[in-house]
Amino acid sequence: MAHYPNELHYAKSHEWVRREEDGSYTVGITEHAQELLGDMVYVELPEVGDDVAAGEECGVVESVKAASDIYSPITGEVVAINEKLADAPEKVNKDPYGAGWLFRVKASDEAELDDLLDAESYAEHVESEEH
């Protein structure tokens, strides 16, 4: 069974968000999403300085099974990307909540976090999709 850390916020499109000490927000895809996709072979991320909007497509993860769009769970400016994924996309599979993070955003409206799911609600959402 997939693991969903309690301190994260989750989008129904299977991205997670974590607030960092510097006030930025780290975004990744959930353990459930990477399990569905399988072994990652390529990750396309937004560029630093890009503006992303909550719910809008901003990248792609490609696995041996399929390609899937990445949607930003929060609006703001991209302040960092995980450049290590260019050479090692498998980090998303091995550590989706750690070394496999995708990008960081300086949020323009932190109230958007209220629209995301907590770990328990996200687990219920995943279960409802499976049935």
Side-chain angles (χ1 to χ4, degrees):
M1 182 170 182
H3 170 66
Y4 311 116
N6 286 330
E7 69 274 18
L8 304 180
H9 299 270
Y10 299 89
K12 288 184 177 178
S13 52
H14 307 292
E15 292 83 9
W16 58 261
V17 180
R18 177 180 55 232
R19 188 174 203 284
E20 303 297 338
E21 289 183 13
D22 67 359
S24 68
Y25 290 86
T26 299
V27 176
I29 64 169
T30 66
E31 187 174 312
H32 170 73
Q34 67 82 22
E35 285 176 355
L36 284 178
L37 289 166
D39 295 336
M40 297 294 163
V41 295
Y42 178 73
V43 178
E44 180 181 315
L45 299 173
E47 294 184 17
V48 172
D50 282 356
D51 290 323
V52 294
E56 291 191 6
E57 175 188 328
C58 63
V60 174
V61 289
E62 190 174 325
S63 71
V64 294
K65 292 182 182 175
S68 181
D69 293 331
I70 302 166
Y71 298 92
S72 181
I74 191 163
T75 300
E77 179 185 346
V78 176
V79 293
I81 61 170
N82 189 349
E83 295 180 6
K84 293 179 180 175
L85 297 180
D87 295 327
E90 67 275 9
K91 287 182 184 289
V92 175
N93 296 110
K94 291 180 181 172
D95 191 8
Y97 303 117
W101 66 277
L102 300 178
F103 59 94
R104 291 199 172 107
V105 174
K106 181 180 176 187
S108 59
D109 183 4
E110 294 182 350
E112 289 177 343
L113 291 173
D114 295 340
D115 297 333
L116 299 174
L117 304 172
D118 61 19
E120 185 178 334
S121 297
Y122 178 71
E124 291 171 3
H125 170 68
V126 168
E127 191 169 319
S128 71
E129 282 189 327
E130 294 175 346
H131 296 284

